[in-house]
Each structure stands twice: as structure tokens, then as C-alpha cells.
Amino acid sequence: MLHHAAFLLHCLPLVMGQYDICKSWVTTDDGPMWEFYACQPKSVPMKDYATVRVDPSGITCGNPPERFCTHENPYLCSDECDASNPDLAHPPKLMFDKEDEGLATYWQSVTWSRYPEPLRANITLSWNKSIELTDDIVVTFEYGRPTMMLLEKSLDNGRTWHPYQYYADDCNEAFGMQARNVRDLSATSANRIICTEDYSRWAGSKKEKNVRFEVRDRFAIFAGPELRNMDNLYTRLESAKGLKDFFTATDLRMRLLRPALGGTFVQRENLYKYFYAVSNIEVTGRCKCNLHANLCTFKEGSLQCECEHNTTGQDCGRCKKNFRSKSWRAGSYLPRPSGSPNVCK
């Protein structure tokens, strides 16, 4: 899951485009000099640089070994989870591995054998670094999507948590919220926390598997459905209070609150068909470098912006020593297209 060698996060196409050059050597009437620009790393799969934690303790199946069923064959409980057998184990790392020839590998929870005690699990991704989301978060569930789930985020490395999006087959019943759709949001509500029913209703485990947090649809409110009006999006990110921070996180946490039921109620005579199974988590984004770096390095288990503009720090969040004649400021996307670097003098 984690790469142990240093790796530069600038090798894939950028979802949001541009701002990939921090400076250039130019000739002026006063002689050659550096010209500076606002800049940021390119967008990459951020799951490759996350640490993952699943809790509570004992929620992963296999210790002790346990048989389970599927909704398609609820009384043919021939499948087994056994943590001591590599062929039958379902550890958390399988949420991030490459699938072999279309065969899904997945993390799996214990079954709901202790019903009516709630079956709940938390999956936490941590970067120990601020990142900015640039595309949808996509979580792939095998054997059915949860009927209740909450996505949360942290901006302070997991010390405090904030709701990001609620998911339920009945939002009003589960969370006391009206069901909404991201595509119905407006420019003034683009960062609203909503509850959606789009990803929780039973559709059969072989059909609908993905649960999404729709980043692109929120961008499209400003940039259009094809994300072509980037000038307007960048302008809004700078001017709309809280909008840029809405797409920023140091950690993400999925709180799985109720598994797929395969119907409208729990069949208590067969509780071994209720569990969670996650085969993949996609998080696309970039290191947050406050528009002071276009490269981000992963080494010794940590992400670090390669700071320009005489800035320093993990997020380029302060001026270097002896470059403090002006207070530190983040770079700005404006004016387009090169932005304002706000170089430390």
C-alpha cells in the first residue's frame, strides 16, 4: 500500500489543470531574473500514500474463523474467512491492492451474528499532511452497499472530525435529514453537507457496487458539466468563503453503520449474510502546498511539499528564515492564468 522509496507526485494528468510551473528565468530591462507564478502539484491517486486503520478491534473477520453467506445464496454458507489462512483471509490491505484478472480481493468485517447489537466499522485513511481532493472519492463494496454510512473528514490529523456526507436508504429515518442530490446544489450551497439515498438502496450485489463522494459534480456547479470553465472555478475557490477548505483534508473516515440487508428488514434466522466487504477505495487529489510548490515528495513514510517562493514547511506554510520582511501568504489562483505567487521577500 505504501511505497518505501521516495516518489514525486507529478506523473499523472491534472484533473483541474494548469498552475504547474513555479518560476521561469526571464530577461528584463534590468537583466535576467526569476519570474514567479502560483503553482501546485499535479493530481494523483492519493490512496497510495495513505495509512489505513480499521476499528473497532476485532471487526475484521477471520479471528476466530467464521463462515458467511451471500444474499444470492443466503442458506448456502460455504464461504469462510480465516485470518490464519492467506487464501481465506480478508485483511484491510486488500482494499488497496491490484485486482488479479478481474478477481476481486477485499477487506471483510465479521458477520452480524450479534444482532440486534449494531454492526459498525470505521475505516480511516490518514496522510499526516493536508491534501486537496480533485476528483470523486469512490468506495467499492462487494456483496452489497451499506444501508447507512457516514463519510467524515479531519483537517487536523484526526484530532477533530466533521461530517462530509451522509448515506442512507432512508435519510429522514436514519439521520433526520431530507434526501438531496449534489447536482441540485447551487453556487451558494456547493459546500453543503447533504444526505443522499443514491448509493444505499438495494440493487443486488452484482450490480451497483460503488459509493461516491461527488467532487466533480460540485466543481461542475462553477465550471460546467465538462469542467471547461476553469477560470470561474478558480475564481470561486479564491472568493467563496470555506470553499477551498471544503475540498481539503488530512484524514478521511468512513463510518459503516448498517450493512446491506438484501431487502427491507433483517432476517434473524440467518445473520451470516450481513457484513461489510470493501474491495477498493479511490481518492484522487494532490498535496496541499498553498500554491508554493509544484512537486510533492513521498519519503520515509511522509509527504512533503518541495517548497518554492522562499517558503518552507510540510505545506509551505511559512517563510524561510531571513525571508520575513513581509508576512507569509498563501499563493492565489488570481489573476488568471498565472495567479499571484506571494513570494516571501
Side-chain angles (χ1 to χ4, degrees), residues 52-63:
V52 61
R53 185 178 76 255
V54 176
D55 61 84
S57 175
I59 194 64
T60 299
C61 69
N63 187 20

Side-chain angles (χ1 to χ4, degrees), residues 184-220:
D184 297 330
L185 298 179
S186 66
T188 57
S189 62
N191 56 350
R192 175 178 290 178
I193 309 301
I194 67 168
C195 180
T196 177
E197 297 176 353
D198 289 352
Y199 306 104
S200 305
R201 291 173 176 164
W202 176 251
S205 63
K206 300 299 183 182
K207 297 179 181 178
E208 300 294 339
K209 295 185 175 185
N210 292 338
V211 172
R212 308 181 81 92
F213 177 76
E214 304 97 330
V215 172
R216 292 181 68 90
D217 282 348
R218 293 180 189 257
F219 287 163

Side-chain angles (χ1 to χ4, degrees), residues 100-269:
D100 184 23
E101 296 179 356
L103 180 64
T105 56
Y106 49 89
W107 165 81
Q108 184 175 318
S109 75
V110 297
T111 63
W112 207 357
S113 57
R114 294 185 179 180
Y115 180 86
E117 176 184 320
L119 180 62
R120 294 173 178 169
N122 295 333
I123 302 171
T124 305
L125 304 183
S126 301
W127 286 272
N128 193 32
K129 164 89 178 70
S130 297
I131 67 167
E132 297 173 325
L133 299 176
T134 58
D135 209 335
D136 293 359
I137 298 171
V138 184
V139 185
T140 304
F141 287 88
E142 304 295 326
Y143 305 110
R145 301 175 294 187
T147 53
M148 284 177 55
M149 171 180 157
L150 170 60
L151 178 65
E152 297 177 310
K153 75 166 186 175
S154 174
L155 286 164
D156 55 12
N157 298 305
R159 287 185 288 274
T160 59
W161 292 92
H162 311 278
Y164 219 6
Q165 190 151 295
Y166 294 87
Y167 302 82
D169 56 353
D170 187 325
C171 284
N172 188 56
E173 177 185 305
F175 300 112
M177 300 174 67
Q178 179 183 348
R180 294 183 180 274
N181 190 296
V182 171
R183 289 182 292 276
D184 297 330
L185 298 179
S186 66
T188 57
S189 62
N191 56 350
R192 175 178 290 178
I193 309 301
I194 67 168
C195 180
T196 177
E197 297 176 353
D198 289 352
Y199 306 104
S200 305
R201 291 173 176 164
W202 176 251
S205 63
K206 300 299 183 182
K207 297 179 181 178
E208 300 294 339
K209 295 185 175 185
N210 292 338
V211 172
R212 308 181 81 92
F213 177 76
E214 304 97 330
V215 172
R216 292 181 68 90
D217 282 348
R218 293 180 189 257
F219 287 163
I221 294 171
F222 309 106
E226 302 300 324
L227 300 186
R228 291 179 178 175
N229 188 2
M230 299 304 293
D231 282 12
N232 191 46
L233 173 59
Y234 282 124
T235 299
R236 291 288 188 153
L237 287 171
E238 288 292 341
S239 60
K241 183 178 180 180
L243 188 60
K244 190 184 295 186
D245 283 346
F246 181 80
F247 299 106
T248 302
T250 60
D251 308 73
L252 294 169
R253 180 167 68 185
M254 286 169 287
R255 294 177 55 193
L256 311 181
L257 303 175
R258 190 173 66 199
L261 302 183
T264 57
F265 60 92
V266 176
Q267 295 179 333
R268 303 181 73 160
E269 69 275 12

Side-chain angles (χ1 to χ4, degrees), residues 28-102:
T28 69
D29 293 340
D30 297 324
M33 60 183 296
W34 286 112
E35 184 172 76
F36 296 97
Y37 318 103
C39 55
Q40 60 190 0
K42 291 187 177 180
S43 184
V44 298
M46 296 303 299
K47 69 176 184 180
D48 295 338
Y49 312 101
T51 57
V52 61
R53 185 178 76 255
V54 176
D55 61 84
S57 175
I59 194 64
T60 299
C61 69
N63 187 20
E66 180 181 15
R67 292 192 178 276
F68 62 93
C69 324
T70 65
H71 290 288
E72 284 79 8
N73 297 295
Y75 297 101
L76 183 63
C77 302
S78 58
D79 296 309
E80 184 177 4
C81 180
D82 184 350
S84 65
N85 184 339
D87 293 330
L88 299 176
H90 295 280
K93 67 180 182 180
L94 296 184
M95 291 185 279
F96 302 96
D97 65 331
K98 296 185 182 298
E99 310 293 6
D100 184 23
E101 296 179 356

